[in-house]
Amino acid sequence: MNLQRLTESLSASFASQRVVFWHDPDAEFAAQLDQLELGHVRVLKLDHESALRIKMQLEADVGQAWLIYSNKEQPLPESDWLLDVRLRSKNFRADSASMLLEDLGLTTLSLLPHLKLRSKFLRAKDRVERLKRLAMPGDDAEALDRKMMAVLLRTDESDALALAMRLLHGLWVPGEATLVEEPKAWQEIVNHELQDAFWVLMQLNLGYATESPSLQDLLIRILATDFVRGLNVPCPAALAHLVLPNKVLAANASVLAARWRSDLSLHKSYADVSAAVAETLNLMGLLSAFQPEDLADTVTFSVIEQRILGVLKQRIIGQGGAVLASLRPLVARRRDGPWVNPLMAGASEQTRALTACYEALEAAAEFMALKEEHAAGLSFVDANDAVARYCSQLYLFDQRYRRFHRAACLVEPSGWAVLHELKTVVEDAYAGWFMPQLSSAWGKVIEGDAGQLNLSMLSAFPKQQNFFQDKVVSAQKGGVKRVFVLISDAFRYEAAEELVREINSTNRLKAQLDAMLGVLPSYTSLGMAALLPHETLAYKADGAVLADALPTATLEARSTVLSHHGGLAVKADDLLSLGKEKGRELVKEHQLVYVYHDRIDMLGDKQASEGQTFDAVADTIVELQSIVSHIVNNLNGSLVLLTADHGFIYQESALDGADKAALGEKPDGTVIAKKRYLLGRNLPSNAKAWQGNTGITAGTDAGEGSMDFWLPKGTMRFHFAGGARFVHGSAMPQEVIVPLVTIRSSEAATARTRSVGVSLLGSSNKVVTNTQRFEFIQAEAVSARVQARSVLVSLRDGQELISDEQALTLDSTSTSMNDWVKSVVLTVRSGNYDRMRDYYLVVREALPPNVEVLRAPFRIDLAFTNDF
């Protein structure tokens, strides 16, 4: 030690003490004693003066600072004549270990030999500095070793499980289900001779002890133990020898694994590493003996999800909708796990695919259950009954079919074939049963003599061509300063129902869904014109549609029509791009703003992109929410009327000749001929098609202002050119029943949303086993204004986790309180808990900033179970 360092250390000692003893038994610093510049400090050499004389000098000058030096060992207390002085002073040590002890703020002198043992680690100044930040005065050798490992692993967490997790994370080969032989982090541990200390930690905390320990072996045993602990059946014989033997300490394996896989920043490493272990264990083969119920509570490996999905798929195929009651709680449990949780859904392609698989299974089971409710087939009293039935229930066939295929499409990038067989079943049920049933029943109530459409009895439903007068003018008369009309091309009723649910879960917005009977033929030019303000609608000879003699085909033309009514037309993208201030400037002089959105029709109406129809619907729902939010929050809109020009029909499977109602030669007078409609003048009768005149079905001017039309019956197409799976123009309910969503902003309490409340069930406040089940109940049914809540549940000592952390979703819409109850199982970390003090069950929001929802005191008494 150099003179300067010695001087600084001594000076630091005198900062808090008047008398300092320095025993230097090897006389290592005797020669440097007289060279020390300690200012006002006087030096007394204990070996050259009597204890009495030293005492007298100390008492004679109480303001003087003294350094009492000796080149002998410190005497035992019973033979120390200066013991009374020593007890009021400080001992100084100048050997490197002692200096380190002091630098680290440690108070336990028995650590000196241990510090010498760790000299390799302590040689580097930067490592010592980082250790200083972690060390505590009362640390013992085990604690100091843990903190040295934490320094080498570059983490502030020094508990044994955190260190193990860091080292096991080092086995990760990104993107591959393999393990590295020896992580770089482990080499650091070995290089600084801390490997034996680490294995001792693993024995103390996990019960892991073997003659040839390795990180790979430790990992396998931790994950095998966690898997077996979650099973609802006995441990398979093939894994029994890998389970950690100490049942109490084995709980820590589950705590470690849960902490690793629930950490968003480490989830990918856990996914790959656990996949490698699953392959090593041949887990897929072992899982074939288990049913989903056996695996409901174990989440160690992602292949568990594949086994559950495979069995559930077969159950749906074999039993149909009958499985729905048992499927829903199981799916809900898996969604609270790490592989299907919405918070983790974007973590990797695998988690996205798994999440989509469960969504597809649920949609398929719901679809089949709905089919079984209508096993006797579909029939309607009249057209009014048909529309009412479609709007109240039958739209769910289309919605669930869309949900299934949309989810199945998201699975495709993974290359999994798990849904292929189910796709065939759902497609047969939709295209082979529902659509023919609906087509037949619907045709019977709308078809008159000789194929003429008879829609006159549908007086109970507002007509699309009366939209402006019935809805916009009515709102203006009611005092609405500015009406926004949002029109999304081909946005059909079933998608609008989903959008309304989303909007009603938003603060300050109230949405109501109604239906309008769309014009026929159900195509864009006529539908868009019908929604504009007009006294008259009329066709030109070329098939163009005029409103009050003005063209309506383009945005600019529609804006001209609207300008006569204090309005303008704008594309949705253009309105959004203007932002708040410029947007307000654009609309401020107008009482009427028509906003046009086009995604579904743009993609669906082209052969190359019609397969993206359901993706387009999902995107449209999100985009329309954003547009509505912009109008209300940035443009001060108080009323938005959201509707569409027409709907559509779509099926995933390819069509064949049986779906074509070939026209042969176009009849004389044809003006426009498309897949789902034909327009013309003085068209002849055709018993193979539905027929009508736009004067009746769209309110166009009689005579030259109207057109005759043919529509292929049911779901038929006149031809397949340009794509045939996505079509519109005819009279099926999905095409002609258009949504009308009325959206208002409101500050009323009824327009506010809140998360459902949650309470803890049970009167016991004691944890007596390492694995403890807790039951929770939501306060009310989830609804439009009461939102589902996702929370994280754990046991904590203050803020420190002492268990794993489990996700729980409270989302029951049932009116039965029994369905509001959900449970989680927490694994308590083994350790010494004071049975007389409180620990806490903590419930926090799953999303940042993780607001605390509930904190309940619990006493932990594991003594009884730990004895056995």
Side-chain angles (χ1 to χ4, degrees):
M1 184 179 293
N2 62 40
L3 195 62
Q4 181 180 351
R5 176 76 175 91
L6 194 60
T7 302
E8 290 173 355
S9 297
L10 277 167
S11 298
S13 298
F14 281 108
S16 59
Q17 293 289 339
R18 182 174 75 92
V19 178
V20 174
F21 283 82
W22 180 7
H23 287 270
D24 179 20
D26 298 326
E28 185 179 354
F29 299 99
Q32 295 175 287
L33 188 63
D34 295 331
Q35 300 173 38
L36 295 173
E37 296 181 2
L38 298 175
H40 64 288
V41 176
R42 289 179 59 185
V43 178
L44 291 174
K45 295 182 179 180
L46 182 59
D47 303 327
H48 297 166
E49 304 209 32
S50 68
L52 180 59
R53 184 173 179 80
I54 290 175
K55 274 192 175 185
M56 292 174 61
Q57 290 186 68
L58 296 178
E59 293 173 3
D61 194 347
V62 293
Q64 177 65 47
W66 301 90
L67 174 61
I68 304 176
Y69 174 85
S70 171
N71 57 16
K72 296 179 180 177
E73 290 282 1
Q74 179 179 330
L76 296 172
E78 56 269 24
S79 57
D80 188 359
W81 292 96
L82 294 175
L83 180 61
D84 57 332
V85 177
R86 193 183 300 278
L87 292 174
R88 303 192 305 271
S89 60
K90 184 173 184 178
N91 279 324
F92 175 75
R93 293 179 178 272
D95 61 278
S96 56
S98 298
M99 297 295 287
L100 275 169
L101 192 75
E102 186 173 336
D103 285 351
L104 293 171
L106 301 171
T107 58
T108 308
L109 293 178
S110 59
L111 282 175
L112 289 173
H114 191 72
L115 290 177
K116 291 179 180 178
L117 193 64
R118 298 287 179 246
S119 60
K120 201 167 185 178
F121 174 93
L122 297 167
R123 283 175 196 160
K125 186 175 181 181
D126 65 318
R127 289 198 294 265
V128 173
E129 288 301 315
R130 280 183 281 149
L131 184 60
K132 276 184 187 180
R133 294 195 293 269
L134 299 178
M136 300 295 291
D139 281 348
D140 58 13
E142 185 261 357
L144 206 57
D145 280 348
R146 284 191 288 103
K147 291 173 183 179
M148 288 180 187
M149 293 181 215
V151 169
L152 295 174
L153 297 175
R154 300 187 178 280
T155 176
D156 290 334
E157 295 184 275
S158 60
D159 70 275
L161 299 189
L163 295 173
M165 187 171 75
R166 283 281 174 176
L167 284 167
L168 295 175
H169 167 72
L171 293 168
W172 180 37
V173 179
E176 297 183 24
T178 57
L179 305 176
V180 299
E181 287 297 324
E182 188 174 273
K184 183 179 178 181
W186 179 248
Q187 294 169 11
E188 284 283 288
I189 298 292
V190 172
N191 289 342
H192 293 89
E193 300 172 352
L194 286 162
Q195 69 273 22
D196 290 342
F198 176 76
W199 294 125
V200 169
L201 280 178
M202 294 304 96
Q203 183 172 1
L204 291 174
N205 288 271
L206 293 167
Y208 175 74
T210 180
E211 290 184 4
S212 303
S214 71
L215 289 179
Q216 290 195 12
D217 184 61
L218 175 64
L219 173 67
I220 290 170
R221 291 174 183 274
I222 287 174
L223 296 189
T225 301
D226 181 53
F227 170 71
V228 169
R229 293 186 78 254
L231 286 175
N232 295 323
V233 290
C235 171
L239 297 180
H241 66 292
L242 296 174
V243 176
L244 294 169
N246 186 310
K247 290 184 178 180
V248 174
L249 295 179
N252 287 344
S254 292
V255 173
L256 187 157
R259 188 190 299 186
W260 188 355
R261 61 180 168 251
S262 63
D263 188 323
L264 280 172
S265 65
L266 298 176
H267 186 271
K268 288 183 179 179
S269 77
Y270 181 87
D272 289 341
V273 165
S274 62
V277 172
E279 190 172 319
T280 299
L281 298 177
N282 186 29
L283 197 65
M284 188 62 87
L286 291 175
L287 290 174
S288 62
F290 295 110
Q291 293 300 308
E293 293 74 15
D294 303 332
L295 303 168
D297 295 318
T298 187
V299 294
T300 311
F301 304 101
S302 63
V303 292
I304 296 168
E305 308 300 341
Q306 296 176 30
R307 170 60 183 170
I308 292 174
L309 287 165
V311 176
L312 292 182
K313 175 199 69 175
Q314 291 301 333
R315 288 181 183 177
I316 295 171
I317 291 171
Q319 304 171 44
V323 306
L324 187 59
S326 60
L327 179 140
R328 276 178 168 156
L330 184 58
V331 171
R333 173 68 187 94
R334 303 317 294 178
R335 282 187 176 136
D336 283 336
W339 306 109
V340 195
N341 192 299
L343 295 177
M344 298 292 189
S348 67
E349 180 181 298
Q350 181 191 52
T351 54
R352 286 191 293 271
L354 288 171
T355 301
C357 277
Y358 279 106
E359 171 66 19
L361 288 185
E362 194 167 47
E366 290 173 354
F367 182 96
M368 300 308 290
L370 190 62
K371 178 178 180 288
E372 287 159 22
E373 289 178 26
H374 298 84
L378 300 180
S379 62
F380 306 120
V381 175
D382 54 28
N384 275 318
D385 176 52
V387 174
R389 292 265 304 280
Y390 183 83
C391 292
S392 63
Q393 187 181 44
L394 296 182
Y395 76 89
L396 288 169
F397 279 106
D398 296 308
Q399 190 178 82
R400 290 170 183 178
Y401 176 74
R402 171 174 62 83
R403 278 179 51 213
F404 171 79
H405 277 293
R406 160 73 172 160
C409 181
L410 295 176
V411 179
E412 288 301 317
S414 70
W416 297 347
V418 63
L419 296 177
H420 289 182
E421 191 178 358
L422 188 58
K423 275 186 180 181
T424 302
V425 172
V426 172
E427 196 64 25
D428 288 347
Y430 182 80
W433 179 85
F434 171 65
M435 290 301 286
Q437 284 280 333
L438 180 64
S439 174
S440 174
W442 175 248
K444 289 176 182 177
V445 295
I446 66 167
E447 185 177 335
D449 296 335
Q452 289 292 318
L453 286 175
N454 181 9
L455 303 178
S456 59
M457 74 290 293
L458 283 169
S459 56
F461 293 90
K463 307 294 189 293
Q464 189 179 34
Q465 61 265 34
N466 299 332
F467 164 76
F468 181 78
Q469 196 63 38
D470 291 349
K471 300 300 177 181
V472 178
V473 172
S474 175
Q476 290 174 331
K477 288 180 177 179
V480 177
K481 179 181 176 182
R482 182 178 297 113
V483 178
F484 288 86
V485 177
L486 176 53
I487 303 171
S488 184
D489 203 329
F491 189 60
R492 66 182 184 178
Y493 185 88
E494 59 87 6
E497 190 278 337
E498 182 177 330
L499 174 65
V500 166
R501 280 187 278 118
E502 294 293 334
I503 290 175
N504 281 333
S505 67
T506 305
N507 264 325
R508 297 182 59 238
L509 294 179
K510 297 181 75 173
Q512 176 182 318
L513 174 62
D514 296 297
M516 293 192 298
L517 184 65
V519 296
L520 285 175
S522 54
Y523 72 106
T524 298
S525 295
L526 184 56
M528 290 295 187
L531 293 169
L532 288 168
H534 63 271
E535 293 294 328
T536 63
L537 286 178
Y539 275 99
K540 291 175 64 178
D542 62 358
V545 186
L546 305 177
D548 296 340
L550 295 173
T552 61
T554 66
L555 183 76
E556 293 72 18
R558 294 169 197 164
S559 203
T560 300
V561 173
L562 290 165
S563 67
H564 296 288
H565 300 268
L568 85 158
V570 60
K571 288 183 178 179
D573 288 344
D574 293 342
L575 184 64
L576 290 172
S577 67
L578 288 173
K580 181 177 180 179
E581 298 305 325
K582 290 182 179 179
R584 287 185 176 183
E585 188 67 25
L586 175 70
V587 305
K588 73 176 183 180
E589 300 299 330
H590 302 281
Q591 290 76 51
L592 181 60
V593 181
Y594 271 50
V595 183
Y596 290 91
H597 175 270
D598 183 13
R599 180 168 295 278
I600 299 171
D601 201 64
M602 178 181 68
L603 290 172
D605 218 16
K606 299 181 181 68
Q607 185 173 11
S609 56
E610 67 177 355
Q612 301 173 42
T613 295
F614 288 158
D615 288 338
V617 173
D619 291 341
T620 292
I621 291 171
V622 174
E623 290 167 9
L624 292 179
Q625 281 183 271
S626 177
I627 296 165
V628 168
S629 177
H630 179 67
I631 290 171
V632 172
N633 296 322
N634 294 332
L635 306 184
N636 295 327
S638 61
L639 174 66
V640 180
L641 299 174
L642 189 158
T643 188
D645 52 346
H646 56 78
F648 65 88
I649 57 175
Y650 175 82
Q651 68 181 59
E652 275 288 322
S653 56
L655 286 85
D656 56 30
D659 299 300
K660 184 186 290 188
L663 285 171
E665 293 295 323
K666 294 178 185 177
D668 292 340
T670 297
V671 175
I672 301 173
K674 299 291 185 180
K675 290 185 287 287
R676 287 285 284 170
Y677 65 94
L678 184 147
L679 279 168
R681 308 272 190 193
N682 302 312
L683 296 179
S685 294
N686 183 349
K688 295 181 179 180
W690 287 329
Q691 301 157 65
N693 184 276
T694 59
I696 297 172
T697 61
T700 56
D701 285 353
E704 292 299 310
S706 292
M707 290 269 187
D708 295 330
F709 60 80
W710 289 357
L711 307 177
K713 292 184 178 181
T715 62
M716 305 291 280
R717 281 79 160 160
F718 285 144
H719 63 82
F720 292 169
R725 291 186 292 151
F726 173 95
V727 289
H728 59 83
S730 190
M732 283 294 285
Q734 297 94 330
E735 299 169 287
V736 75
I737 298 174
V738 294
L740 173 61
V741 182
T742 304
I743 305 159
R744 300 180 185 276
S745 65
S746 174
E747 297 295 339
T750 55
R752 295 176 190 157
T753 60
R754 65 183 187 279
S755 296
V756 68
V758 56
S759 299
L760 178 66
L761 287 177
S763 56
S764 173
N765 67 339
K766 185 174 286 190
V767 176
V768 296
T769 65
N770 285 97
T771 302
Q772 187 87 10
R773 183 177 295 275
F774 298 91
E775 287 195 329
F776 298 87
I777 186 169
Q778 61 188 59
E780 57 195 311
V782 168
S783 63
R785 295 295 167 188
V786 181
Q787 296 181 308
R789 182 175 231 154
S790 292
V791 295
L792 298 174
V793 184
S794 61
L795 283 165
R796 292 177 181 266
D797 181 0
Q799 299 301 321
E800 181 184 355
L801 272 172
I802 56 173
S803 74
D804 55 350
E805 191 169 46
Q806 296 287 350
L808 180 69
T809 302
L810 301 153
D811 58 358
S812 176
T813 57
S814 170
T815 55
S816 170
M817 291 183 68
N818 290 334
D819 296 330
W820 298 355
V821 178
K822 286 197 173 181
S823 64
V824 296
V825 176
L826 295 182
T827 300
V828 185
R829 182 173 177 175
S830 64
N832 296 317
Y833 296 100
D834 185 346
R835 69 187 70 179
M836 301 307 294
R837 60 171 289 226
D838 286 337
Y839 301 89
Y840 293 92
L841 179 71
V842 176
V843 180
R844 293 176 176 172
E845 296 282 8
L847 291 173
N850 306 114
V851 174
E852 193 167 291
V853 177
L854 183 152
R855 178 176 284 253
F858 271 78
R859 298 288 173 91
I860 299 179
D861 186 1
L862 305 181
F864 178 80
T865 54
N866 288 354
D867 286 341
F868 292 88

